Amino acid sequence: MKNHKKLAWILSGLILLIIIGLGTFMGLGRNQPTKAAMPKATATVFFHGWGSSRRAEEQMANYLVKKKYASSIVVADVDYQGHVKFSGILPAKTKHFIVEVNLQNNKSVSPNGGMTYSQSSNYVADVLASLKKKWKINNVNLVAHSMGNLQVIYFIKNHARSKKYPKINKLVAIAGHYNGIIGMDEPKDTSLEANGKPKMMNDTYRDLLSVRNTFPKNIKVMNIYGNYKNHGDGSVNNNSSKSLRYLVQKRAKSYEEQEIRGYGAQHSRLHENKEVDQVLLKFLK
């Protein structure tokens, strides 16, 4: 009788372990993105700023899902070497989804010192190439904040004609510092000519001038900047952000600017600003 009871306890324990194991396995499966090809889906990909993470993208991403522009959010974790790992859920027949990019190298550093923005833009290339390889994604929208804008514009400069990557339909630039950051690499004269050309250019902006002849003609551009104090967002002069116009307007399918004012227009608060959410939704729809 004791042996029977002992055997019963052992069997019960084994059954319990099997149930727990199956539950864990199924749970892990639910957190893995689908492997099905989605060539007709559009991914809206968020790139965060210096020293930041995907957390800076969450309010905007969640707002787009709440307003039913997108059905799902996946996370793209990118290591220092540019290896991309996706996590999240993509239902079948997804039409629009969000990708929150999370860079381990969130300060664009390398073992030998700082990276150039051109080198750092390889992370953008890695994410977009992975989207095309994994889900056969052919169309993307890009949304960038601060440093992410320089990574994106350099990606366009370096890879605009390559078919290795999905086509960019829309570009949203938030707090871009194309012609410098206040107190760092900003030129002495930050004023712009009537056509948007900076009267003085820093090294980065001069390096980007070739984009004027290569920017894809199919891309619609929305440039969002914050007027928090002294014609800037506290970190970036408005004219540095607005200098994007001279680089792209000649070729872009359309170009718009949106100034955000008030407390929420400060550089690091723009990605938490409800007015920015609304502008983003209207532009992407």
Side-chain angles (χ1 to χ4, degrees), residues 245-260:
R245 173 190 163 201
Y246 184 71
L247 295 176
V248 307
Q249 189 177 35
K250 183 175 74 170
R251 290 177 58 89
K253 188 172 183 178
S254 66
Y255 176 84
E256 302 176 60
E257 290 180 352
Q258 181 67 53
E259 180 184 79
I260 306 296

Side-chain angles (χ1 to χ4, degrees), residues 144-157:
H145 175 258
S146 193
M147 179 186 74
N149 290 293
L150 274 297
Q151 292 172 326
V152 166
I153 197 68
Y154 264 103
F155 165 80
I156 292 172
K157 176 181 184 287

